[in-house]
Amino acid sequence: MAIEISGLAKNFARAGGGVREVFRDFSLTLGGGRVAALLGPSGGGKSTLLRLIAGLEMPTGGSIALPIGRIGMAFQEPRLLPWRSVADNLRLAAPGLTDEALNASLAAFELDGRGGDYPGQLSLGLARRVALARAFAVEPDLLLLDEPFASLDLGLHRRLRTLLAQRISAKRMTVLIATHDLDDALLLADEVIFLGGAPAQVKRRLTIDMPRETRDENLTKLRELAPFYPSSREDDDGNSIAS
């Protein structure tokens, strides 16, 4: 399920008048069946690009071509309906989900026994797992992930990233992840696309050939592939620091 973006333009009106150009004559081709990460600073157009691809925003100009297929998306916020149970939130996205498939979806993200809980009973980490399970439950051909680990502590961030890597490796789909974290991009993606500038443009593209299951132990070596971009590292106390 390749993505073809050609001559894309996207403007937003400013409250005080005028417009903010997010994209101008932006073009990008992403190969089908691969995992790509959009890497760049906050406010650099990553989330907007995902929303344009998902059809949640309309472009000002240009085109986005997607082959016919199912799209799953996890947003920066879990966006679960608070008056619906975890199981109901999954079934709203995937109405044909059988009890067996529902339980398998929950188990895949370590949510066994939480199907009857309501979002208000969940921690942020659990809510993010539910949001990811919901995105996978539709059996997407294209999976869009917008900062899926935002606001999580380092330990939970790493555990959830490992879970996501396992699910991506187990399913054949095209995945596009928006992140500002270099380590997330290096550990999950087959290709890292560095965005920068205003309007946003592709600054660099980096292909990663290393098997996903061996990347954790080779993370230091992987970071050397992008010395120009700050990476998330750990100090002696296990706290994340910027290089």
Side-chain angles (χ1 to χ4, degrees):
M1 187 162 181
I3 302 171
E4 295 279 353
I5 301 171
S6 180
L8 180 68
K10 179 60 180 178
N11 302 333
F12 288 105
R14 296 183 183 274
V19 297
R20 178 172 70 91
E21 277 191 305
V22 182
F23 295 104
R24 181 203 305 157
D25 195 25
F26 180 89
S27 297
L28 181 66
T29 299
L30 300 173
R34 291 173 61 79
V35 181
L38 296 170
L39 194 67
S42 297
K46 305 183 301 298
S47 295
T48 298
L49 186 58
L50 260 61
R51 291 177 64 84
L52 287 163
I53 291 171
L56 301 175
E57 297 277 358
M58 296 303 295
T60 306
S63 64
I64 300 175
L66 303 174
I68 296 173
R70 292 182 297 274
I71 297 177
M73 186 167 184
F75 299 87
Q76 288 189 32
E77 302 296 331
R79 296 197 180 185
L80 305 175
L81 296 180
W83 60 90
R84 297 278 193 167
S85 68
V86 167
D88 286 343
N89 270 278
L90 265 65
R91 284 200 164 104
L92 284 170
L97 208 59
T98 64
D99 288 344
E100 182 180 1
L102 171 67
N103 291 332
S105 294
L106 294 175
F109 286 95
E110 299 180 358
L111 292 163
D112 305 79
R114 307 307 293 257
D117 290 354
Y118 286 84
Q121 298 172 280
L122 305 176
S123 66
L124 176 59
L126 287 172
R128 288 206 179 279
R129 291 185 199 180
V130 174
L132 288 170
R134 179 181 58 188
F136 276 88
V138 303
E139 297 185 355
D141 301 292
L142 172 62
L143 179 63
L144 304 174
L145 302 174
D146 191 1
E147 299 283 4
F149 315 120
S151 305
L152 298 180
D153 65 74
L154 182 62
L156 181 56
H157 181 148
R158 294 179 67 180
R159 290 195 300 274
L160 192 51
R161 183 173 62 199
T162 299
L163 276 175
L164 183 57
Q166 292 168 350
R167 297 309 297 162
I168 287 174
S169 296
K171 301 286 184 179
R172 179 68 174 174
M173 64 182 78
T174 302
V175 183
L176 184 57
I177 305 168
T179 182
H180 63 270
D181 189 298
L182 177 62
D183 289 358
D184 288 346
L186 294 173
L187 290 170
L188 294 171
D190 300 310
E191 181 179 22
V192 183
I193 300 162
F194 297 88
L195 298 182
Q201 55 187 300
V202 176
K203 295 294 188 179
R204 290 181 172 89
R205 298 183 73 153
L206 172 65
T207 299
I208 303 175
D209 296 322
M210 186 181 296
R212 201 170 285 110
E213 59 270 18
T214 66
R215 295 186 193 181
D216 265 315
E217 61 200 64
N218 290 289
L219 183 54
T220 300
K221 184 183 298 185
L222 287 170
R223 285 170 176 156
E224 294 172 357
L225 298 175
F228 52 86
Y229 194 91
S231 66
S232 176
R233 301 176 187 269
E234 296 176 20
D235 61 20
D236 292 337
D237 297 321
N239 299 312
S240 179
I241 58 176
S243 63

